[in-house]
Amino acid sequence: MSLRSRVHAALSRQVDLAVGAFAARLGQEKDAQAVLFYGSNLRTGSREGVLDFYVLTGGEAEIGLWPTVSYREWDHEGETLRAKIATMTLAKFAQAARGETIDTTIWARFVQPSALVWQRDAAARLQVSAAIEAAAITAARLAIAVGPDSGTEEDYWRALFQATYRAELRVEKPGREDSILSLNAKHFDGLLPAALNAAGIPYGREGDKLTPRITVGERKLVRRWWNRRRRLGKPLNVARLARATRTFDGAARYAAWKVERHTGTKIEVTPFREKHPVLAAPAVAFRLWRAQRSARRRNRD
């Protein structure tokens, strides 16, 4: 199956009707071009926890840091749905997917499964599909540059994710790349050859082993491209985290939900905490500490 056919089929994946309705609501509110759904809830079909969306808007590509991140809750037929939403222009998303920015998160994330759950029109769908194809090609180029001279598809994808996790400021358990591959085995089966074919990169095949036929010079060029992004990966993450403390819409509600979910302690989201989540954090932490101390005392008694 060609890369284009694979991407079209993957993006057309059916999702829960409530998830689709939430995506449509977000897309219409933002006057967006498209909304992508990804993450563990896509794989499991569950509505529990936090749904992950990328809202892609029109206009020229952003300059500076992106995307903007927000948290939303929506009462749908008696159930509270929660979502973390990254918003950026479709133009910048496509640039990042092609590897034209220093960012690594877009192509590394969207070589993994995602679904196009809302689009403005057919033209927007074609643009998103082309960007996802580009993400797969960008990821495949790096996978064969940092992977073995010859190996299985899993060997190359594992090398790719190990490299990108090391470049980002992330707290991931060892072997996270293995869980990505095992949980999404059907998605990745055949994806590397399809991406290499689309990129015009020749390879040999013997059983389940692939041998990409790239020259030493070509490998050096890709690694040079990667080394710049690897060096800037963590500083870029830090800059985005600093920006998020000022721009994360709904940060207090998101944090309160996370605290209650993991500790059982309900945190009231006051107007001050909603407006100044960073300033409010010490008081919230103190309240959490007191609640946990009281719980330990009750358990001892």
Side-chain angles (χ1 to χ4, degrees):
M1 183 184 295
S2 71
L3 179 62
R4 180 160 299 177
S5 297
R6 291 180 67 101
V7 168
H8 175 77
L11 291 179
S12 301
R13 180 172 177 170
Q14 295 298 305
V15 301
D16 187 284
L17 292 177
V19 172
F22 203 165
R25 185 185 183 97
L26 295 172
Q28 291 161 3
E29 287 178 356
K30 296 285 189 180
D31 192 25
Q33 295 296 304
V35 180
L36 285 162
F37 178 49
Y38 69 100
S40 61
N41 290 76
L42 171 65
R43 176 176 53 80
T44 63
S46 172
R47 297 199 297 252
E48 293 183 1
V50 176
L51 308 171
D52 290 299
F53 293 108
Y54 255 73
V55 176
L56 305 176
T57 62
E60 296 183 0
E62 299 94 319
I63 297 174
L65 295 175
W66 43 265
T68 58
V69 182
S70 58
Y71 170 75
R72 287 283 302 276
E73 294 181 354
W74 181 38
D75 290 328
H76 177 71
E77 299 180 353
E79 178 184 6
T80 300
L81 300 181
R82 298 173 174 84
K84 188 170 65 173
I85 305 131
T87 303
M88 63 188 296
T89 64
L90 177 51
K92 179 59 74 172
F93 181 86
Q95 281 184 6
R98 293 191 298 266
E100 295 172 2
T101 71
I102 62 171
D103 173 81
T104 64
T105 59
I106 297 300
W107 50 262
R109 176 173 289 141
F110 287 97
V111 72
Q112 300 173 52
S114 62
L116 181 55
V117 286
W118 182 88
Q119 69 275 327
R120 178 164 297 282
D121 51 34
R125 182 179 184 85
L126 286 174
Q127 291 179 65
V128 173
S129 185
I132 300 299
E133 290 174 44
I137 290 172
T138 303
R141 287 185 188 278
L142 180 59
I144 63 173
V146 298
D149 291 334
S150 181
T152 65
E153 286 191 75
E154 279 199 2
D155 291 335
Y156 290 106
W157 291 129
R158 186 175 293 107
L160 169 83
F161 290 124
Q162 286 174 343
T164 54
Y165 282 144
R166 285 194 297 266
E168 296 177 18
L169 192 65
R170 298 169 64 112
V171 181
E172 298 290 352
K173 295 179 180 178
R176 169 63 175 161
E177 63 280 359
D178 292 322
S179 65
I180 288 176
L181 294 172
S182 62
L183 292 172
N184 301 289
K186 186 176 179 180
H187 173 81
F188 284 104
D189 184 21
L191 179 58
L192 184 61
L196 294 178
N197 286 333
I201 299 173
Y203 61 90
R205 183 160 204 163
E206 185 174 345
D208 62 350
K209 292 289 185 71
L210 299 177
T211 305
R213 298 194 178 107
I214 59 172
T215 67
V216 173
E218 288 169 336
R219 190 184 296 271
K220 283 183 177 179
L221 283 175
V222 176
R223 286 184 172 177
R224 189 179 305 155
W225 170 89
W226 169 242
N227 284 336
R228 180 169 180 261
R229 285 152 180 80
R230 177 182 56 79
R231 289 193 299 269
L232 294 173
K234 287 185 174 63
L236 180 59
N237 287 163
V238 170
R240 282 178 170 159
L241 286 171
R243 177 175 178 263
T245 62
R246 306 187 308 273
T247 62
F248 191 142
D249 182 25
R253 282 174 284 126
Y254 178 64
W257 174 79
K258 291 281 281 188
V259 167
E260 184 173 2
R261 180 178 174 86
H262 290 288
T263 70
T265 301
K266 186 173 181 61
I267 302 295
E268 181 185 1
V269 182
T270 65
F272 177 80
R273 288 172 180 170
E274 180 80 24
K275 188 174 181 180
H276 306 288
V278 176
L279 293 177
V284 171
F286 179 68
R287 167 155 168 53
L288 179 60
W289 172 76
R290 288 185 61 186
Q292 291 176 328
R293 187 178 66 170
S294 297
R296 287 195 294 269
R297 284 177 175 173
R298 287 194 299 270
N299 291 335
R300 285 198 301 267
D301 294 342

